[in-house]
Amino acid sequence: FMQAGFTMLCAGSVQAKNLQNTIMKNILDACGSGLAFFAVGYAFAYGGTPHDTMDVYTHDPVETPVTFIGTENFFLIGMENYAFWMYQYAFAATAATIVAGTLAERCQMTAYLCYSSFLTAFVYPIIAHAVWSGNGFLTPVRVDPLFGVGMIDFAGSGVVHVTGGFTALIASKILGPRKGRFDEEKGVGMARRIEGNSSSLQALGCLILWFGWYGFNCGSIHQASTAVLARIASLSAVTTTLGASAGAITALTVTSILSRRQTGEVSYDLTDVMNGCLAGLVSITAGCGMIEPWAAALIGSIGAIVYLLSGELLIKFRIDDAVEAIPVHLGPGIWGVISVGLFASPRRLDEIYGHSNHPGWFYSLTHGGSDATLLGANLVGLLFIIAWVLVTMLPFFLILSYLGWFRTDSLEEIIGLDPGTHKASDSITRQHLEILRKQINAREGSFRVEEARITYVDDDEFNVEEEGQSLVKFSKGDSFHEHE
């Protein structure tokens, strides 16, 4: 169901000429991730762990050797706990889908299928193995965890959202911005907002994701067989609600104040409110089961501010993100992992892990101490996630770019991915014809925009017609730029 939320959010955020392409990529993301995680991804993440992963929160530490990668259960051979596989597959697919939104409107289908499969088959599973498997070197459920506490990322702010967000950052930097996103004549940082085709779809996607988040966060306790575990699940629902609510309200408040200072009038940005809500959800994910409700609201509010600042940084460095997935997932994801090291409650840690020797730093300060061990372990975990993604995904995207498999053709990008890839010539708009008119005037003459139409010819050409007469054919190899 989370995939439906991502699909609607992405579909509403892109231009109409790329709608079908975006929806197809989100559907294929669920399909490709499912096959990749079935074949090898699950085995690399959890294969060979002798301890039943569904029972990790029983106060019984796991005494197993540390391994870098799982070695059993390929193609689910010997696997009996199918419910656990299904649950973990949803996490893997989410990490891949984050990248899809960022690269929308300019990424080839081949590249999308390649990196989506690679991420869920190998990159993400290694991170999940390190943090969530009983054999991982960062897991908090071992008898001798890192620094005596391990990295605590309850539902995936780091494992899922930092992984997906940082992958998206690398990919977007290599791929480059959409045509027209940044004004070359006005200098660095002058960005033009490319409006999506439907605020309604964006809002629907946001609300679906919010609903689906309860499954992620509450379900991360894995079972509710005792009153304590049920209480942790219910606490996760409360903190998830408060984090999302505080994030949305904070984003609304901050952007309204800024608009008043800049223009003298108050304006309310729906996109910032929705993304503030999602940033609050991302921020609360790491500690949803071990923080108090008041801390959840604070964490969600700060997550929204991190989102707004991250968005400004992307513009400063001329990095284009079609759905603002990087500022929503990467920055708030990092903050979410850090917040556990600050706000983890001793009582909640004891209920989940059976010990509270190293609580959140703020709790230690209130008792006259300065124990930042948990914060340090989580920072080490963040560094591992970022380093692993960097050494695997950076060369992967560079190879795709070198082979010419990454970015779509310049003509196809201007016309839209739907007409070329999906034979959807109806998505051509007046704006696209105006752009083409400038090209045709320089080549073949002129035509009336109102009466001209563009039709798909074959895999390599588009035909521009007026009153049944073919004026010009554009090939994908032609130099075709909006600013010419």
Side-chain angles (χ1 to χ4, degrees), residues 35-232:
L35 292 176
F37 202 66
F38 157 72
V40 297
Y42 179 85
F44 288 155
Y46 298 102
T49 301
H51 192 275
D52 187 350
T53 316
M54 290 288 281
D55 297 329
V56 294
Y57 302 118
T58 58
H59 298 186
D60 297 325
V62 181
E63 190 171 0
T64 54
V66 174
T67 58
F68 179 74
I69 190 172
T71 56
E72 299 178 14
N73 304 127
F74 294 97
F75 298 93
L76 300 188
I77 297 174
M79 170 72 176
E80 297 294 337
N81 197 343
Y82 296 119
F84 184 68
W85 179 90
M86 192 67 195
Y87 184 67
Q88 293 300 327
Y89 152 67
F91 281 100
T94 297
T97 305
I98 292 169
V99 188
T102 296
L103 306 183
E105 303 194 292
R106 61 201 189 280
C107 179
Q108 291 189 43
M109 185 68 72
T110 301
Y112 179 79
L113 293 173
C114 287
Y115 76 69
S116 178
S117 300
F118 183 61
L119 188 65
T120 52
F122 183 64
V123 179
Y124 167 81
I126 299 302
I127 295 172
H129 182 86
V131 182
W132 287 341
S133 166
N135 295 101
F137 79 98
L138 292 170
T139 181
V141 299
R142 290 178 45 79
V143 293
D144 54 345
L146 178 70
F147 301 159
V149 63
M151 177 187 182
I152 295 181
D153 183 5
F154 189 69
S157 287
V159 174
V160 177
H161 297 283
V162 173
T163 298
F166 192 56
T167 300
L169 178 63
I170 295 171
S172 184
K173 183 62 178 177
I174 295 173
L175 188 63
R178 289 167 291 176
K179 294 186 181 301
R181 178 68 173 99
F182 296 101
D183 195 327
E184 301 291 344
E185 297 179 357
K186 294 183 179 180
V188 175
M190 298 301 297
R192 181 173 68 87
R193 187 166 184 168
I194 301 177
E195 297 291 344
N197 74 93
S198 175
S199 296
S200 299
L201 288 179
Q202 288 178 277
L204 177 61
C206 175
L207 292 173
I208 290 175
L209 287 173
W210 187 350
F211 179 77
W213 229 284
Y214 291 109
F216 272 174
N217 288 5
C218 302
S220 288
I221 196 62
H222 295 165
Q223 56 181 326
S225 56
T226 67
V228 172
L229 295 178
R231 184 166 62 247
I232 294 169

Side-chain angles (χ1 to χ4, degrees), residues 296-312:
L298 178 60
I299 291 170
S301 295
I302 296 176
I305 295 173
V306 171
Y307 150 70
L308 294 172
L309 293 175
S310 300
E312 293 300 317

Side-chain angles (χ1 to χ4, degrees), residues 1-36:
F1 194 56
M2 291 284 281
Q3 288 298 124
F6 282 116
T7 301
M8 293 300 98
L9 184 65
C10 291
S13 300
V14 301
Q15 300 167 88
K17 61 182 180 178
N18 300 308
L19 182 60
Q20 291 187 34
N21 183 267
T22 298
I23 293 175
M24 177 175 284
K25 284 177 178 176
N26 276 269
I27 294 175
L28 291 178
D29 178 59
C31 300
S33 298
L35 292 176

Side-chain angles (χ1 to χ4, degrees), residues 16-21 24 109 408-409 411-428 454-463 474-476:
K17 61 182 180 178
N18 300 308
L19 182 60
Q20 291 187 34
N21 183 267
M24 177 175 284
M109 185 68 72
T408 190
D409 180 83
L411 167 62
E412 194 172 17
E413 183 179 344
I414 294 295
I415 297 299
L417 301 183
D418 287 359
T421 307
H422 307 284
K423 320 289 193 295
S425 59
D426 290 342
S427 64
I428 300 299
I454 302 173
T455 58
Y456 172 84
V457 178
D458 54 33
D459 288 338
D460 296 310
E461 291 184 338
F462 296 94
N463 189 36
F474 287 100
S475 298
K476 289 185 180 180

Side-chain angles (χ1 to χ4, degrees), residues 311-336:
E312 293 300 317
L313 283 176
L314 286 189
I315 293 176
K316 179 180 177 62
F317 290 102
R318 303 174 65 79
I319 297 174
D320 185 19
D321 186 340
V323 301
E324 295 190 290
I326 298 171
V328 166
H329 294 276
L330 179 56
I334 292 173
W335 159 240

